[in-house]
Amino acid sequence: MSGLNASLGYFLTAVIFAASVRYLLKKWPRFSFISEFASSFMLVACWLEVQTIVDVGEWAGGLGPDVTVTIRFVVLLTHGVICGDVSGNPTLAVQKFLQFESSTVPTLLAVAAQFVGAHLGLLATTYYWSLELTDMHMIKNLMARECSTSLLVPVLQGFFTEFACALILHLIHLILQRRSALIRTPLIAVLLTFLSHTARSYTSAYINPSLAYGLTFYCSGFTFAEYAVVYWLGSFTGMTLAVFLYTGHIPRIFAKNLLYFQKTRFRVPKTDRAEKKKM
């Protein structure tokens, strides 16, 4: 229980940091990319601690799978509530770019900020583990020297796993984007929790390139390029296909709708000749 109390304090610290940054930047929308940094920092820092509870708590702390899944859901739900549209996810930033909802420079700044936030989140969490505040963190600190990769399948299978999960997530996200946040945020959190739990024996379904970078790229077992193919190329390819399936085209690349034909909402006015014939 003391381990969970320490983890709760750590979660609250990360949440307060992200919420404070977002609140302070409301008056300066041009610096919104800094909010992406805070969002990514919070997500990576909290998810690493969730992984600690999963890896160590289940066998050393006597915590059941239901507890770890609940904690993951609460973290994702809290992140969605606190950060809102500031996702901390490069695929969502690029999705907005492809849909003409964001220009080139803000997109590049947002993606760069997300990766910087992920890296600093990893460094902050590693330092937190080194304090060894509980037995669970002492064990995790020893394990951190040789972390176990989240990619448990061959690269090609991992690519298709992330691709499929990204396709599902982004299609649902596009369908719900005009819904109220009270509906959208919990549903996305449930979906992410389900995909992560289902794919835990494959890739863990991060569906977030910066999150994957902070959680597993530094682990041995695969090269940086192989991780990039699975977690970056797989996620971006799935997102791109989701945009195409939802809209029938990719606005930033081509305007012609290849899947759906929009019927005109207005009737074409009849000509004078047609009116004379009726008379």
Side-chain angles (χ1 to χ4, degrees):
M1 185 62 68
S2 61
L4 286 180
N5 289 336
S7 297
L8 178 60
Y10 178 75
F11 290 144
L12 288 176
T13 302
V15 168
I16 291 172
F17 170 74
S20 300
V21 171
R22 191 178 183 197
Y23 176 78
L24 292 173
L25 292 176
K26 278 186 176 180
K27 297 180 180 179
W28 298 284
R30 67 174 60 185
F31 297 111
S32 60
F33 66 92
I34 301 179
S35 296
E36 292 287 355
F37 159 80
S39 176
S40 182
F41 177 91
M42 172 190 166
L43 188 59
V44 171
C46 291
W47 200 289
L48 282 168
E49 185 66 3
V50 170
Q51 273 195 338
T52 301
I53 298 172
V54 173
D55 295 340
V56 182
E58 286 191 359
W59 63 269
L63 301 177
D66 54 335
V67 176
T68 57
V69 170
T70 302
I71 292 174
R72 181 180 285 117
F73 168 72
V74 171
V75 166
L76 290 170
L77 180 61
T78 304
H79 180 267
V81 171
I82 296 298
C83 298
D85 294 333
V86 184
S87 63
N89 189 338
T91 57
L92 286 174
V94 175
Q95 177 181 299
K96 292 180 180 180
F97 173 75
L98 293 178
Q99 294 182 295
F100 281 113
E101 296 177 6
S102 178
S103 56
T104 304
V105 174
T107 301
L108 291 176
L109 288 174
V111 172
Q114 288 161 352
F115 277 99
V116 172
H119 187 71
L120 291 182
L122 171 61
L123 295 179
T125 308
T126 303
Y127 172 76
Y128 166 68
W129 290 338
S130 68
L131 298 177
E132 299 184 356
L133 299 178
T134 66
D135 293 340
M136 182 175 68
H137 294 105
M138 180 182 67
I139 297 172
K140 183 61 179 180
N141 189 41
L142 294 173
M143 295 171 59
R145 298 172 185 174
E146 295 183 4
C147 66
S148 56
T149 177
S150 299
L151 181 56
L152 304 177
V153 293
V155 172
L156 185 60
Q157 188 177 357
F159 168 83
F160 282 110
T161 301
E162 286 292 311
F163 167 80
C165 291
L167 176 62
I168 295 170
L169 172 66
H170 286 278
L171 272 177
I172 299 298
H173 186 274
L174 287 167
I175 293 171
L176 297 176
Q177 62 183 345
R178 292 183 176 83
R179 297 283 185 178
S180 169
L182 293 175
I183 300 175
R184 184 179 65 252
T185 302
L187 288 179
I188 294 297
V190 169
L191 178 61
L192 285 171
T193 304
F194 171 76
L195 292 175
S196 176
H197 184 71
T198 303
R200 66 190 184 281
S201 299
Y202 299 89
T203 63
S204 291
Y206 294 132
I207 325 174
N208 183 329
S210 60
L211 178 63
Y213 167 78
L215 266 60
T216 198
F217 270 48
Y218 60 94
C219 298
S220 59
F222 295 90
T223 65
F224 188 93
E226 288 172 330
Y227 279 128
V229 168
V230 174
Y231 291 104
W232 294 359
L233 185 60
S235 296
F236 282 115
T237 306
M239 175 273 296
T240 305
L241 181 59
V243 172
F244 176 71
L245 292 176
Y246 181 76
T247 62
H249 65 125
I250 302 176
R252 182 70 65 172
I253 300 177
F254 58 91
K256 184 178 180 180
N257 195 314
L258 301 180
L259 295 181
Y260 312 113
F261 297 95
Q262 296 180 349
K263 295 182 179 180
T264 178
R265 297 174 59 185
F266 304 98
R267 294 182 179 179
V268 179
K270 296 180 180 180
T271 60
D272 294 338
R273 290 184 180 178
E275 293 179 357
K276 290 180 179 178
K277 287 181 180 180
K278 288 183 179 181
M279 295 176 63

